[in-house]
RNA sequence: GGAGAGAUGCCAGAGAGGUCGAUUGGGGCGGUCUCGAAAACCGUUGUCCGGGUAACUGGACCGGGGGUUCGAAUCCCUCUCUCUCCGCCA
Protein backbone atom coordinates (compact mmCIF):
# COMPACT_ATOMS: atom_id res chain seq x y z
CA UNK A 1 0.00 0.00 0.00
CA UNK A 2 1.39 3.38 -1.01
CA UNK A 3 1.52 6.03 1.71
CA UNK A 4 -0.90 8.91 1.60
CA UNK A 5 1.97 11.33 2.11
CA UNK A 6 3.59 10.26 -1.13
CA UNK A 7 0.34 10.66 -3.02
CA UNK A 8 -0.19 14.09 -1.48
CA UNK A 9 3.32 15.33 -2.14
CA UNK A 10 4.04 14.00 -5.60
CA UNK A 11 0.91 12.77 -7.32
CA UNK A 12 2.15 13.40 -10.84
CA UNK A 13 5.43 11.58 -10.24
CA UNK A 14 3.49 8.56 -8.98
CA UNK A 15 1.22 8.60 -12.01
CA UNK A 16 4.25 8.86 -14.29
CA UNK A 17 6.09 5.95 -12.73
CA UNK A 18 3.08 3.68 -12.54
CA UNK A 19 2.89 3.90 -16.32
CA UNK A 20 5.90 1.58 -16.33
CA UNK A 21 3.55 -1.00 -14.87
CA UNK A 22 1.01 -0.12 -17.56
CA UNK A 23 -1.25 1.26 -14.86
CA UNK A 24 -3.13 4.52 -15.27
CA UNK A 25 -3.51 5.95 -11.78
CA UNK A 26 -4.78 9.38 -12.79
CA UNK A 27 -8.39 8.91 -11.74
CA UNK A 28 -7.73 6.93 -8.59
CA UNK A 29 -5.22 9.46 -7.32
CA UNK A 30 -7.47 12.40 -8.08
CA UNK A 31 -10.23 10.64 -6.18
CA UNK A 32 -7.90 9.81 -3.27
CA UNK A 33 -6.71 13.39 -2.95
CA UNK A 34 -10.25 14.61 -2.99
CA UNK A 35 -11.26 12.17 -0.27
CA UNK A 36 -8.16 13.07 1.70
CA UNK A 37 -9.06 16.73 1.65
CA UNK A 38 -12.60 16.00 2.74
CA UNK A 39 -11.44 13.64 5.42
CA UNK A 40 -9.12 16.22 6.92
CA UNK A 41 -11.77 18.91 6.93
CA UNK A 42 -14.14 16.56 8.70
CA UNK A 43 -11.50 15.63 11.22
CA UNK A 44 -10.67 19.24 12.02
CA UNK A 45 -14.32 20.04 12.57
CA UNK A 46 -14.88 16.85 14.55
CA UNK A 47 -11.83 17.42 16.75
CA UNK A 48 -12.92 20.97 17.54
CA UNK A 49 -16.37 19.73 18.45
CA UNK A 50 -14.94 17.00 20.62
CA UNK A 51 -12.75 19.55 22.40
CA UNK A 52 -15.86 21.62 23.12
CA UNK A 53 -17.72 18.60 24.48
CA UNK A 54 -14.76 17.65 26.63
CA UNK A 55 -14.67 21.13 28.12
CA UNK A 56 -18.40 21.14 28.82
CA UNK A 57 -18.13 17.78 30.56
CA UNK A 58 -15.33 19.07 32.73
CA UNK A 59 -17.39 22.09 33.68
CA UNK A 60 -20.33 19.91 34.59
CA UNK A 61 -18.00 17.79 36.64
CA UNK A 62 -16.72 20.70 38.70
CA UNK A 63 -20.22 22.15 39.13
CA UNK A 64 -21.37 18.79 40.50
CA UNK A 65 -18.47 18.76 42.89
CA UNK A 66 -19.35 22.18 44.18
CA UNK A 67 -22.90 21.00 44.69
CA UNK A 68 -24.38 23.35 42.10
CA UNK A 69 -26.90 20.81 40.80
CA UNK A 70 -29.21 23.19 38.94
CA UNK A 71 -26.40 24.84 37.02
CA UNK A 72 -25.04 21.44 36.05
CA UNK A 73 -28.43 20.32 34.78
CA UNK A 74 -28.72 23.53 32.78
CA UNK A 75 -25.33 22.93 31.19
CA UNK A 76 -26.43 19.46 30.07
CA UNK A 77 -29.30 20.92 28.07
CA UNK A 78 -27.33 22.21 25.09
CA UNK A 79 -25.26 19.10 24.61
CA UNK A 80 -27.84 17.11 22.67
CA UNK A 81 -27.45 19.16 19.52
CA UNK A 82 -23.69 19.00 19.62
CA UNK A 83 -23.80 15.23 19.92
CA UNK A 84 -26.13 14.95 16.98
CA UNK A 85 -23.71 17.00 14.89
CA UNK A 86 -20.84 14.90 16.14
CA UNK A 87 -22.58 11.72 15.05
CA UNK A 88 -22.99 13.10 11.53
CA UNK A 89 -19.36 14.18 11.38
CA UNK A 90 -18.10 10.83 12.61
CA UNK A 91 -20.14 8.94 10.06
CA UNK A 92 -18.99 11.16 7.22
CA UNK A 93 -15.38 10.91 8.38
CA UNK A 94 -15.50 7.12 8.65
CA UNK A 95 -17.06 6.84 5.22
CA UNK A 96 -14.45 9.09 3.62
CA UNK A 97 -11.60 7.25 5.34
CA UNK A 98 -12.87 3.83 4.32
CA UNK A 99 -13.39 4.90 0.75
CA UNK A 100 -9.96 6.48 0.59
CA UNK A 101 -8.40 3.31 1.97
CA UNK A 102 -10.21 1.20 -0.62
CA UNK A 103 -8.94 3.44 -3.37
CA UNK A 104 -5.33 3.49 -2.19
CA UNK A 105 -5.30 -0.27 -1.94
CA UNK A 106 -6.03 -0.46 -5.66
CA UNK A 107 -2.74 1.27 -6.51
CA UNK A 108 0.18 -1.05 -7.28
CA UNK A 109 3.65 -0.45 -5.91
CA UNK A 110 5.82 2.01 -7.77
CA UNK A 111 8.55 0.33 -9.79
CA UNK A 112 12.16 1.23 -9.10
CA UNK A 113 13.65 3.59 -11.74
CA UNK A 114 15.82 0.70 -12.93
CA UNK A 115 12.82 -1.33 -14.05
CA UNK A 116 12.40 -1.48 -17.81
CA UNK A 117 9.04 -0.75 -19.39
CA UNK A 118 7.32 -3.62 -21.13
CA UNK A 119 4.15 -5.55 -21.56
CA UNK A 120 4.95 -9.18 -20.81
CA UNK A 121 7.67 -11.71 -20.10
CA UNK A 122 8.98 -11.05 -23.63
CA UNK A 123 10.29 -7.69 -22.44
CA UNK A 124 12.13 -8.96 -19.37
CA UNK A 125 15.83 -8.26 -19.21
CA UNK A 126 18.21 -11.19 -18.94
CA UNK A 127 20.87 -10.01 -16.50
CA UNK A 128 23.22 -12.95 -16.62
CA UNK A 129 23.29 -16.71 -16.59
CA UNK A 130 25.48 -19.69 -15.98
CA UNK A 131 25.88 -23.39 -16.49
CA UNK A 132 25.89 -25.05 -19.88
CA UNK A 133 22.77 -26.40 -21.49
CA UNK A 134 23.24 -30.17 -21.35
CA UNK A 135 23.24 -32.46 -24.34
CA UNK A 136 20.83 -35.25 -23.56
CA UNK A 137 21.21 -38.77 -24.86
CA UNK A 138 18.70 -39.93 -27.49
CA UNK A 139 16.43 -41.76 -25.04
CA UNK A 140 15.99 -38.79 -22.72
CA UNK A 141 12.43 -38.03 -21.54
CA UNK A 142 10.63 -35.33 -19.53
CA UNK A 143 10.49 -35.62 -15.75
CA UNK A 144 6.90 -36.86 -15.68
CA UNK A 145 8.10 -40.00 -17.41
CA UNK A 146 11.24 -40.27 -15.28
CA UNK A 147 9.34 -40.21 -12.00
CA UNK A 148 7.24 -43.15 -13.18
CA UNK A 149 10.20 -45.03 -14.53
CA UNK A 150 12.03 -44.83 -11.19
CA UNK A 151 8.85 -44.77 -9.06
CA UNK A 152 9.91 -41.75 -7.02
CA UNK A 153 6.95 -39.37 -7.35
CA UNK A 154 3.38 -40.60 -7.68
CA UNK A 155 0.67 -38.27 -8.95
CA UNK A 156 -2.02 -40.93 -9.18
CA UNK A 157 -1.58 -41.83 -5.55
CA UNK A 158 -1.88 -38.15 -4.66
CA UNK A 159 -5.13 -37.97 -6.60
CA UNK A 160 -6.43 -40.93 -4.63
CA UNK A 161 -5.49 -39.46 -1.26
CA UNK A 162 -6.21 -35.80 -1.92
CA UNK A 163 -6.61 -34.64 -5.50
CA UNK A 164 -4.74 -33.40 -8.55
CA UNK A 165 -1.65 -31.34 -7.80
CA UNK A 166 -0.80 -33.11 -4.55
CA UNK A 167 1.99 -35.52 -5.44
CA UNK A 168 3.27 -38.31 -3.21
CA UNK A 169 7.06 -38.51 -3.01
CA UNK A 170 8.35 -42.01 -2.46
CA UNK A 171 11.68 -43.61 -1.56
CA UNK A 172 14.56 -41.72 -3.16
CA UNK A 173 12.07 -39.12 -4.35
CA UNK A 174 11.10 -38.33 -0.76
CA UNK A 175 14.69 -38.36 0.37
CA UNK A 176 15.68 -36.00 -2.43
CA UNK A 177 13.10 -33.53 -1.10
CA UNK A 178 14.52 -33.76 2.37
CA UNK A 179 18.06 -33.39 1.00
CA UNK A 180 17.21 -30.26 -0.94
CA UNK A 181 15.45 -28.65 2.02
CA UNK A 182 18.42 -29.31 4.29
CA UNK A 183 20.88 -28.15 1.67
CA UNK A 184 19.00 -24.88 1.15
CA UNK A 185 18.66 -24.26 4.88
CA UNK A 186 22.33 -25.00 5.57
CA UNK A 187 23.41 -22.66 2.78
CA UNK A 188 21.04 -20.00 4.09
CA UNK A 189 22.47 -20.31 7.55
CA UNK A 190 25.99 -19.85 6.14
CA UNK A 191 24.74 -16.68 4.45
CA UNK A 192 23.57 -15.28 7.78
CA UNK A 193 19.88 -16.17 7.80
CA UNK A 194 18.20 -17.21 11.03
CA UNK A 195 16.06 -20.29 10.63
CA UNK A 196 12.37 -19.94 11.49
CA UNK A 197 9.77 -22.67 11.62
CA UNK A 198 6.50 -20.78 11.38
CA UNK A 199 2.87 -21.88 11.48
CA UNK A 200 1.59 -22.86 8.06
CA UNK A 201 -1.89 -21.49 8.63
CA UNK A 202 -2.36 -17.79 9.33
CA UNK A 203 -5.13 -15.46 10.44
CA UNK A 204 -6.74 -12.66 8.46
CA UNK A 205 -4.50 -9.94 9.85
CA UNK A 206 -1.43 -11.72 8.57
CA UNK A 207 -3.04 -12.27 5.18
CA UNK A 208 -3.73 -8.57 4.99
CA UNK A 209 -0.25 -7.61 6.20
CA UNK A 210 1.59 -9.22 3.29
CA UNK A 211 -1.10 -8.37 0.76
CA UNK A 212 -2.81 -11.71 0.09
CA UNK A 213 -6.04 -10.33 1.51
CA UNK A 214 -8.46 -8.92 0.65
CA UNK A 215 -7.76 -9.53 -3.05
CA UNK A 216 -6.34 -12.97 -3.46
CA UNK A 217 -8.34 -15.04 -1.02
CA UNK A 218 -9.42 -17.22 -3.92
CA UNK A 219 -5.81 -18.35 -4.29
CA UNK A 220 -5.52 -19.63 -0.74
CA UNK A 221 -7.03 -22.65 0.95
CA UNK A 222 -9.29 -21.44 3.71
CA UNK A 223 -10.01 -23.34 6.89
CA UNK A 224 -13.51 -22.00 7.32
CA UNK A 225 -14.32 -23.39 10.73
CA UNK A 226 -11.47 -21.42 12.31
CA UNK A 227 -11.18 -18.69 9.68
CA UNK A 228 -7.53 -19.45 8.96
CA UNK A 229 -5.67 -19.51 5.66
CA UNK A 230 -3.10 -22.06 4.56
CA UNK A 231 0.00 -20.18 3.53
CA UNK A 232 0.88 -19.84 -0.16
CA UNK A 233 4.46 -19.04 0.87
CA UNK A 234 6.50 -18.75 4.07
CA UNK A 235 6.79 -15.05 3.24
CA UNK A 236 3.42 -14.60 4.94
CA UNK A 237 4.18 -15.85 8.46
CA UNK A 238 7.85 -14.84 8.44
CA UNK A 239 7.22 -11.27 7.31
CA UNK A 240 4.28 -10.92 9.70
CA UNK A 241 6.65 -11.48 12.60
CA UNK A 242 7.36 -7.78 12.14
CA UNK A 243 3.76 -6.61 11.89
CA UNK A 244 3.15 -3.71 14.31
CA UNK A 245 6.78 -3.64 15.35
CA UNK A 246 9.16 -0.71 15.78
CA UNK A 247 12.77 -1.78 15.27
CA UNK A 248 16.06 -0.04 16.02
CA UNK A 249 18.02 1.10 12.99
CA UNK A 250 20.97 -0.90 14.31
CA UNK A 251 18.93 -4.14 14.02
CA UNK A 252 18.69 -3.79 10.25
CA UNK A 253 18.93 -5.67 8.04
CA UNK A 254 17.17 -8.63 9.61
CA UNK A 255 17.68 -11.90 7.78
CA UNK A 256 15.23 -14.74 8.36
CA UNK A 257 14.47 -17.87 6.41
CA UNK A 258 12.17 -20.79 6.76
CA UNK A 259 11.18 -24.03 5.15
CA UNK A 260 7.45 -24.66 4.79
CA UNK A 261 5.11 -26.50 2.54
CA UNK A 262 3.16 -24.01 0.44
CA UNK A 263 -0.44 -24.30 -0.66
CA UNK A 264 -1.90 -22.66 -3.74
CA UNK A 265 -5.31 -23.23 -5.21
CA UNK A 266 -4.07 -21.97 -8.61
CA UNK A 267 -7.68 -21.44 -9.56
CA UNK A 268 -8.00 -20.99 -13.30
CA UNK A 269 -4.32 -21.29 -14.06
CA UNK A 270 -4.15 -24.86 -15.33
CA UNK A 271 -3.47 -25.53 -18.95
CA UNK A 272 -0.56 -26.16 -21.26
CA UNK A 273 2.93 -26.23 -19.73
CA UNK A 274 1.72 -27.23 -16.30
CA UNK A 275 2.32 -30.96 -16.55
CA UNK A 276 4.09 -32.89 -13.88
CA UNK A 277 5.93 -30.84 -11.31
CA UNK A 278 5.59 -27.57 -13.19
CA UNK A 279 2.57 -26.47 -11.17
CA UNK A 280 1.26 -27.96 -7.92
CA UNK A 281 -1.23 -27.22 -5.19
CA UNK A 282 1.22 -28.22 -2.50
CA UNK A 283 4.96 -27.85 -2.75
CA UNK A 284 8.01 -27.32 -0.57
CA UNK A 285 10.00 -24.15 -0.47
CA UNK A 286 12.71 -22.44 1.53
CA UNK A 287 12.05 -18.72 1.67
CA UNK A 288 14.47 -15.95 2.61
CA UNK A 289 13.12 -12.70 4.03
CA UNK A 290 14.90 -9.46 4.85
CA UNK A 291 13.73 -6.38 6.70
CA UNK A 292 16.02 -3.59 5.57
CA UNK A 293 16.86 0.08 6.03
CA UNK A 294 15.32 2.05 3.14
CA UNK A 295 18.70 3.42 2.13
CA UNK A 296 20.26 -0.02 1.91
CA UNK A 297 17.44 -2.26 0.72
CA UNK A 298 18.87 -2.62 -2.77
CA UNK A 299 22.11 -3.88 -1.25
CA UNK A 300 19.96 -6.50 0.43
CA UNK A 301 18.32 -7.35 -2.87
CA UNK A 302 21.71 -7.85 -4.54
CA UNK A 303 22.84 -9.96 -1.63
CA UNK A 304 19.78 -12.15 -1.92
CA UNK A 305 20.22 -12.52 -5.66
CA UNK A 306 23.82 -13.67 -5.17
CA UNK A 307 22.71 -16.15 -2.55
CA UNK A 308 20.13 -17.74 -4.85
CA UNK A 309 22.58 -17.74 -7.73
CA UNK A 310 25.10 -19.49 -5.55
CA UNK A 311 22.61 -22.28 -4.81
CA UNK A 312 21.99 -22.86 -8.49
CA UNK A 313 25.72 -22.88 -9.24
CA UNK A 314 26.38 -25.42 -6.52
CA UNK A 315 23.77 -27.73 -8.01
CA UNK A 316 25.31 -27.29 -11.48
CA UNK A 317 22.00 -26.22 -12.98
CA UNK A 318 21.89 -24.11 -16.13
CA UNK A 319 20.26 -20.89 -15.05
CA UNK A 320 19.57 -17.34 -15.99
CA UNK A 321 18.62 -14.31 -13.96
CA UNK A 322 15.94 -12.08 -15.37
CA UNK A 323 14.93 -8.62 -14.23
CA UNK A 324 11.22 -8.32 -14.76
CA UNK A 325 9.86 -5.52 -16.86
CA UNK A 326 7.09 -3.29 -15.53
CA UNK A 327 4.31 -5.26 -17.14
CA UNK A 328 5.43 -8.62 -15.78
CA UNK A 329 5.98 -7.50 -12.19
CA UNK A 330 3.63 -8.28 -9.37
CA UNK A 331 1.30 -5.70 -7.90
CA UNK A 332 3.34 -5.36 -4.72
CA UNK A 333 6.90 -5.36 -6.03
CA UNK A 334 9.24 -2.46 -6.74
CA UNK A 335 11.86 -4.66 -8.37
CA UNK A 336 11.90 -8.39 -9.03
CA UNK A 337 14.51 -10.81 -10.25
CA UNK A 338 13.29 -14.16 -11.49
CA UNK A 339 15.59 -17.13 -11.59
CA UNK A 340 14.99 -19.70 -14.26
CA UNK A 341 16.59 -23.07 -14.75
CA UNK A 342 16.69 -24.82 -18.07
CA UNK A 343 14.72 -27.99 -18.29
CA UNK A 344 16.50 -29.90 -21.00
CA UNK A 345 13.87 -32.47 -21.83
CA UNK A 346 11.04 -29.94 -21.90
CA UNK A 347 13.39 -27.52 -23.67
CA UNK A 348 12.13 -24.55 -21.73
CA UNK A 349 13.10 -22.27 -18.86
CA UNK A 350 11.31 -22.87 -15.56
CA UNK A 351 10.96 -20.20 -12.92
CA UNK A 352 12.41 -21.45 -9.64
CA UNK A 353 12.76 -18.27 -7.65
CA UNK A 354 11.34 -14.80 -7.56
CA UNK A 355 13.29 -12.37 -5.44
CA UNK A 356 11.82 -8.95 -4.82
CA UNK A 357 12.18 -5.69 -3.00
CA UNK A 358 8.79 -4.39 -1.91
CA UNK A 359 10.30 -1.23 -0.47
CA UNK A 360 7.76 0.20 1.99
CA UNK A 361 4.69 -1.17 0.20
CA UNK A 362 4.24 -4.15 2.51
CA UNK A 363 5.72 -2.36 5.52
CA UNK A 364 3.03 0.29 5.29
CA UNK A 365 0.36 -2.38 5.61
CA UNK A 366 2.32 -4.23 8.26
CA UNK A 367 3.17 -1.08 10.19
CA UNK A 368 6.74 -2.32 10.30
CA UNK A 369 8.86 0.65 11.27
CA UNK A 370 12.27 1.51 12.64
CA UNK A 371 13.80 4.39 14.48
CA UNK A 372 17.23 5.93 14.00
CA UNK A 373 19.21 6.04 17.19
CA UNK A 374 18.10 8.99 19.26
CA UNK A 375 15.36 9.99 16.80
CA UNK A 376 11.80 10.49 17.87
CA UNK A 377 10.30 9.83 14.47
CA UNK A 378 9.68 6.38 13.04
CA UNK A 379 10.17 5.40 9.41
CA UNK A 380 8.80 2.50 7.42
CA UNK A 381 11.22 -0.36 6.82
CA UNK A 382 11.72 -2.00 3.47
CA UNK A 383 10.80 -5.66 3.13
CA UNK A 384 12.25 -8.18 0.71
CA UNK A 385 11.82 -11.84 0.06
CA UNK A 386 12.87 -14.55 -2.29
CA UNK A 387 12.59 -18.25 -2.86
CA UNK A 388 15.81 -20.03 -2.01
CA UNK A 389 14.47 -22.21 -3.44
CA UNK A 390 11.16 -23.73 -4.51
CA UNK A 391 11.63 -27.47 -4.91
CA UNK A 392 9.40 -28.91 -7.63
CA UNK A 393 10.92 -27.27 -10.68
CA UNK A 394 14.40 -27.73 -9.28
CA UNK A 395 13.60 -31.42 -9.02
CA UNK A 396 12.17 -31.41 -12.53
CA UNK A 397 15.32 -29.97 -14.05
CA UNK A 398 17.66 -32.03 -11.86
CA UNK A 399 15.94 -35.17 -13.07
CA UNK A 400 15.80 -34.16 -16.71
CA UNK A 401 19.24 -32.62 -17.06
CA UNK A 402 21.09 -35.33 -15.20
CA UNK A 403 19.45 -38.36 -16.74
CA UNK A 404 21.76 -40.97 -18.25
CA UNK A 405 21.12 -44.44 -19.57
CA UNK A 406 22.29 -45.72 -16.17
CA UNK A 407 20.01 -43.50 -14.09
CA UNK A 408 19.79 -39.99 -12.71
CA UNK A 409 23.01 -38.53 -11.35
CA UNK A 410 22.79 -36.47 -8.16
CA UNK A 411 24.91 -33.26 -8.21
CA UNK A 412 28.01 -33.45 -6.02
CA UNK A 413 26.87 -30.82 -3.56
CA UNK A 414 23.73 -32.79 -2.78
CA UNK A 415 25.25 -36.24 -2.31
CA UNK A 416 26.14 -35.63 1.36
CA UNK A 417 22.47 -34.84 1.87
CA UNK A 418 20.89 -37.63 -0.19
CA UNK A 419 23.32 -40.34 0.79
CA UNK A 420 23.10 -41.73 -2.75
CA UNK A 421 24.69 -40.74 -6.06
CA UNK A 422 22.28 -42.23 -8.50
CA UNK A 423 18.56 -42.78 -8.87
CA UNK A 424 18.26 -46.00 -10.85
C1' G B 1 -14.94 -29.76 25.82
C1' G B 2 -16.56 -28.08 31.32
C1' A B 3 -15.65 -24.46 35.54
C1' G B 4 -13.28 -20.10 37.23
C1' A B 5 -9.84 -15.80 36.90
C1' G B 6 -7.75 -12.16 33.98
C1' A B 7 -6.14 -8.68 29.58
C1' U B 8 -3.46 -1.25 31.60
C1' G B 9 2.57 2.14 28.77
C1' C B 10 9.45 -1.39 27.22
C1' C B 11 8.48 -4.84 31.79
C1' A B 12 6.04 -5.49 36.59
C1' G B 13 1.88 -3.47 38.67
C1' A B 14 -1.86 0.55 40.92
C1' G B 15 -6.36 2.54 39.39
C1' A B 16 -13.21 0.40 40.37
C1' G B 17 -17.83 7.05 36.78
C1' G B 18 -15.19 13.23 36.81
C1' U B 19 -9.15 17.40 35.85
C1' C B 20 -6.08 9.89 34.15
C1' G B 21 -2.08 9.50 28.94
C1' A B 22 -2.94 7.34 33.50
C1' U B 23 0.25 6.38 40.91
C1' U B 24 4.61 3.53 41.83
C1' G B 25 8.81 0.29 40.98
C1' G B 26 12.16 -1.77 37.37
C1' G B 27 14.48 -1.07 32.66
C1' G B 28 16.15 2.50 28.88
C1' C B 29 18.08 7.39 27.79
C1' G B 30 20.40 12.20 29.56
C1' G B 31 22.96 14.53 33.65
C1' U B 32 25.61 15.26 38.64
C1' C B 33 29.55 12.66 41.25
C1' U B 34 34.18 9.56 39.45
C1' C B 35 40.60 8.69 36.42
C1' G B 36 36.71 5.25 34.80
C1' A B 37 32.78 2.24 36.51
C1' A B 38 29.27 0.75 40.29
C1' A B 39 26.20 2.93 43.95
C1' A B 40 23.52 7.29 45.08
C1' C B 41 20.89 11.56 43.48
C1' C B 42 18.30 14.69 39.61
C1' G B 43 15.76 14.77 35.00
C1' U B 44 13.47 12.25 30.96
C1' U B 45 10.84 8.19 28.72
C1' G B 46 4.47 5.49 24.09
C1' U B 47 1.77 5.27 19.36
C1' C B 48 -1.49 7.28 15.72
C1' C B 49 -4.46 11.21 13.09
C1' G B 50 -5.25 16.68 12.26
C1' G B 51 -3.50 22.24 12.32
C1' G B 52 1.24 25.03 12.14
C1' U B 53 7.78 26.67 8.51
C1' A B 54 8.49 26.15 13.69
C1' A B 55 7.95 26.76 18.89
C1' C B 56 3.58 24.75 19.77
C1' U B 57 -1.30 22.97 19.49
C1' G B 58 -6.49 19.99 18.87
C1' G B 59 -8.11 14.90 18.91
C1' A B 60 -7.80 9.49 19.62
C1' C B 61 -5.74 5.16 21.94
C1' C B 62 -5.83 1.30 29.07
C1' G B 63 -6.98 -6.59 24.26
C1' G B 64 -10.89 -5.78 19.57
C1' G B 65 -15.95 -4.11 18.56
C1' G B 66 -20.57 -2.09 20.39
C1' G B 67 -23.63 0.23 24.41
C1' U B 68 -25.09 3.30 28.99
C1' U B 69 -23.68 8.55 30.61
C1' C B 70 -22.92 15.52 30.22
C1' G B 71 -18.43 12.48 31.34
C1' A B 72 -15.78 5.43 31.06
C1' A B 73 -9.30 2.40 32.04
C1' U B 74 -13.39 2.17 35.53
C1' C B 75 -20.52 0.08 34.46
C1' C B 76 -23.16 -3.29 30.59
C1' C B 77 -23.03 -6.56 26.06
C1' U B 78 -20.05 -9.21 22.65
C1' C B 79 -15.67 -11.23 20.36
C1' U B 80 -10.58 -12.64 20.80
C1' C B 81 -6.60 -14.09 23.67
C1' U B 82 -4.02 -15.65 28.34
C1' C B 83 -3.82 -18.24 33.03
C1' U B 84 -5.66 -22.04 36.82
C1' C B 85 -8.42 -26.62 37.75
C1' C B 86 -11.01 -30.85 35.47
C1' G B 87 -11.61 -33.90 30.96
C1' C B 88 -9.33 -35.61 26.37
C1' C B 89 -4.78 -36.21 23.82
C1' A B 90 0.34 -36.29 19.63
Amino acid sequence: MLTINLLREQPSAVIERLKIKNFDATEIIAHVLDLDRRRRELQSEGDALQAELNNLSKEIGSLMKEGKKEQAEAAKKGIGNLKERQKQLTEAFDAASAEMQNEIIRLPNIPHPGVAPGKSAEDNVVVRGGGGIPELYPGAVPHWDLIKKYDIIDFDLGIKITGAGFPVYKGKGAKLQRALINFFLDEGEKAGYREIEPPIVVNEDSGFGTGQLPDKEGQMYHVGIDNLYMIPTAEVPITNIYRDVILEAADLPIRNMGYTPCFRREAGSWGAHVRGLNRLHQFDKVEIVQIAHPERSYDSLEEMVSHVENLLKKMDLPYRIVRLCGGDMSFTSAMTYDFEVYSAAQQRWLEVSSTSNFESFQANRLKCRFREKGAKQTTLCHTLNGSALALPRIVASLLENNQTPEGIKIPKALIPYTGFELIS
Side-chain angles (χ1 to χ4, degrees):
Chain A
M1 187 167 82
L2 297 176
T3 63
I4 182 66
N5 283 340
L6 181 68
L7 299 177
R8 250 182 230 158
E9 284 159 20
Q10 14 191 335
S12 45
V14 172
I15 290 168
E16 211 43 48
R17 286 175 65 186
L18 282 180
K19 285 183 183 161
I20 298 286
K21 279 195 172 179
N22 306 316
F23 189 94
D24 183 3
T26 318
E27 276 183 36
I28 295 180
I29 289 180
H31 194 193
V32 165
L33 292 180
D34 194 47
L35 287 164
D36 181 47
R37 240 173 274 120
R38 203 157 90 219
R39 195 185 109 251
R40 283 191 288 170
E41 280 168 19
L42 288 164
Q43 178 172 350
S44 288
E45 198 183 334
D47 282 357
L49 185 59
Q50 182 66 58
E52 195 181 341
L53 282 165
N54 287 345
N55 286 332
L56 284 172
S57 293
K58 279 181 189 169
E59 277 174 36
I60 291 171
S62 35
L63 286 173
M64 296 289 251
K65 245 186 193 161
E66 293 165 28
K68 297 176 181 167
K69 280 253 164 65
E70 318 77 51
Q71 285 187 45
E73 287 304 319
K76 282 188 196 179
K77 288 269 155 61
I79 285 181
N81 290 332
L82 295 180
K83 294 203 81 176
E84 187 51 40
R85 175 73 187 137
Q86 184 183 41
K87 200 180 159 195
Q88 290 168 3
L89 284 172
T90 308
E91 276 169 15
F93 175 81
D94 289 347
S97 303
E99 198 181 344
M100 186 177 90
Q101 173 85 355
N102 287 338
E103 288 293 290
I104 294 178
I105 275 180
R106 291 169 56 201
L107 295 169
N109 198 5
I110 295 169
H112 183 274
V115 171
K119 289 224 159 60
S120 67
E122 311 281 289
D123 302 313
N124 292 340
V125 179
V126 177
V127 178
R128 59 179 181 268
I133 304 237
E135 289 281 327
L136 295 184
Y137 73 104
V141 293
H143 71 270
W144 47 82
D145 292 329
L146 291 168
I147 60 173
K148 279 192 179 159
K149 180 172 173 188
Y150 297 111
D151 193 26
I152 49 175
I153 303 177
D154 194 327
F155 280 94
D156 295 331
L157 196 49
I159 287 168
K160 174 185 173 182
I161 298 170
T162 306
F166 291 91
V168 176
Y169 302 85
K170 302 192 292 191
K172 283 184 173 173
K175 199 159 184 196
L176 179 59
Q177 294 289 113
R178 189 150 57 89
L180 285 166
I181 292 163
N182 284 333
F183 171 65
F184 294 154
L185 287 172
D186 284 355
E187 293 296 316
E189 190 177 3
K190 283 185 212 160
Y193 291 87
R194 177 178 63 156
E195 185 173 350
I196 301 284
E197 186 180 307
I200 60 171
V201 291
V202 296
N203 58 29
E204 268 183 14
D205 285 345
S206 294
F208 180 83
T210 31
Q212 281 69 29
L213 297 175
D215 261 4
K216 298 174 201 150
E217 63 257 88
Q219 291 295 346
M220 288 190 288
Y221 290 95
H222 183 219
V223 185
I225 193 169
D226 292 310
N227 196 24
L228 297 171
Y229 294 87
M230 299 179 73
I231 57 171
T233 158
E235 165 200 342
V236 179
I238 294 178
T239 310
N240 270 282
I241 293 172
Y242 301 95
R243 169 154 50 84
D244 286 320
V245 166
I246 299 174
L247 298 156
E248 302 281 337
D251 297 336
L252 303 174
I254 292 172
R255 299 180 184 85
N256 283 322
M257 67 170 170
Y259 152 71
T260 66
C262 301
F263 303 89
R264 298 187 183 181
R265 295 189 61 235
E266 301 290 2
S269 66
W270 296 85
H273 296 310
V274 295
R275 274 191 83 176
L277 294 166
N278 290 355
R279 177 155 293 156
L280 300 172
H281 285 310
Q282 177 181 335
F283 62 94
D284 293 308
K285 179 162 63 65
V286 171
E287 184 80 1
I288 54 176
V289 175
Q290 291 206 24
I291 312 290
H293 191 289
E295 283 165 21
R296 290 182 290 278
S297 65
Y298 281 90
D299 296 342
S300 287
L301 183 62
E302 290 309 315
E303 181 192 303
M304 291 166 79
V305 165
S306 311
H307 174 65
V308 176
E309 183 174 19
N310 184 45
L311 294 176
L312 295 172
K313 278 183 180 164
K314 285 198 172 172
M315 290 186 292
D316 297 320
L317 286 168
Y319 70 91
R320 64 180 192 189
I321 303 173
V322 163
R323 192 190 304 119
L324 299 191
C325 72
D328 203 27
M329 279 169 78
S330 76
F331 188 81
T332 49
S333 173
M335 183 178 279
T336 298
Y337 289 96
D338 271 7
F339 289 75
E340 300 175 333
V341 296
Y342 194 72
S343 182
Q346 296 181 66
Q347 299 192 323
R348 51 189 286 249
W349 293 95
L350 300 176
E351 181 194 329
V352 292
S353 172
S354 188
T355 299
S356 306
N357 188 352
F358 302 96
E359 298 192 2
S360 61
F361 196 79
Q362 274 185 337
N364 190 29
R365 282 181 161 224
L366 290 161
K367 297 202 186 72
C368 172
R369 293 156 291 171
F370 75 97
R371 199 179 342 243
E372 299 288 357
K373 193 171 168 58
K376 198 167 160 48
Q377 206 185 353
T378 61
T379 312
L380 291 171
C381 299
H382 281 190
T383 64
L384 305 93
N385 66 55
S387 351
L389 285 158
L391 299 225
R393 295 175 192 161
I394 292 288
V395 170
S397 61
L398 280 178
L399 298 179
E400 291 181 11
N401 295 356
N402 298 328
Q403 59 184 309
T404 68
E406 293 73 43
I408 297 158
K409 284 187 180 159
I410 301 296
K412 236 188 243 131
L414 287 174
I415 293 170
Y417 291 91
T418 55
F420 54 82
E421 297 176 21
L422 196 70
I423 297 174
S424 57

